[in-house]
Amino acid sequence: MALIKAYKGMTPRWGKDCYFSENATIVGDVTMGDECSIWFNAVVRGDVAPITIGDRSNVQDGSCVHVTHDTGPTHIGSDVTIGHNVTVHACTIHDGALIGMGATLLDGCEVGRGSIVAAGALVLQHTVIPDGQIWGGVPAKYLKDVRPGQTDNAKHYVAYAKYYMEENENNRYSNETTKSI
């Protein structure tokens, strides 16, 4: 089972039909919607500020979602895909965005609705990526506009999570049936 840990009286909360891999870690003031998935070796750590994640969003293998005491929370919208080995730190990602593998998002940045951060990109502090744009590079800069349907990846992870839950009921999480450590 995933490591789900309270911190200073703050306990993670989530909606229905969420999937957490056996070695996923979720700590502190974390609130997730329905049909979210946290994959292998991913960490979602809301210890010094809150993390909110909307419905049907996924945090893929090896990624870290964290916060900063002075800067504040992390907000991730609905239908967001956080690719493998991504670092998301004290920032905002709006609905339908796709964060490519190995990208880093620093404090106070904002990724617009339906936008893409390319694999390996570094989004500097306080950068604002408008809706529907692709940004990439180090540091990240505008590359081009998103094509229709290009960020529809989150629905695939809802289906993958359902398959994993069918294979192993221990990975289906509900706040009514699971106690945090």
Side-chain angles (χ1 to χ4, degrees):
M1 292 182 69
L3 175 59
I4 300 169
K5 187 173 184 69
Y7 178 80
K8 291 188 176 182
M10 297 174 290
T11 302
R13 300 173 309 280
W14 52 87
K16 57 187 172 172
D17 295 326
C18 290
Y19 168 76
F20 309 144
S21 294
E22 293 85 352
N23 56 358
T25 301
I26 305 164
V27 179
D29 192 359
V30 175
T31 303
M32 287 181 264
D34 296 336
E35 298 183 297
C36 290
S37 56
I38 310 298
W39 293 85
F40 302 97
N41 289 319
V43 176
V44 179
R45 185 164 62 103
D47 52 0
V48 296
I51 294 171
T52 57
I53 302 174
D55 297 329
R56 298 169 305 281
S57 290
N58 61 87
V59 178
Q60 295 176 18
D61 312 62
S63 290
C64 178
V65 178
H66 194 228
V67 291
T68 299
H69 185 267
D70 294 329
T71 305
T74 294
H75 299 287
I76 298 172
S78 295
D79 302 304
V80 170
T81 293
I82 307 290
H84 309 293
N85 296 310
V86 169
T87 300
V88 173
H89 207 268
C91 61
T92 299
I93 303 170
H94 290 281
D95 294 349
L98 174 88
I99 311 303
M101 295 183 286
T104 300
L105 282 65
L106 297 178
D107 294 11
C109 76
E110 185 171 346
V111 178
R113 181 181 186 95
S115 287
I116 295 174
V117 174
L122 172 61
V123 182
L124 297 176
Q125 282 186 311
H126 308 295
T127 299
V128 176
I129 297 174
D131 294 350
Q133 292 187 354
I134 300 174
W135 282 49
V138 178
K141 62 182 181 187
Y142 171 79
L143 299 176
K144 60 184 176 179
D145 289 342
V146 172
R147 293 185 322 270
Q150 198 170 359
T151 62
D152 290 345
N153 199 45
K155 66 184 175 188
H156 300 297
Y157 272 83
V158 170
Y160 301 154
K162 286 180 182 178
Y163 174 78
Y164 274 83
M165 287 186 291
E166 288 169 4
E167 290 292 309
N168 186 351
E169 275 297 313
N170 290 335
N171 291 348
R172 181 185 299 266
Y173 286 86
S174 161
N175 273 338
E176 291 79 39
T177 59
T178 304
K179 293 183 180 178
S180 63
I181 297 173

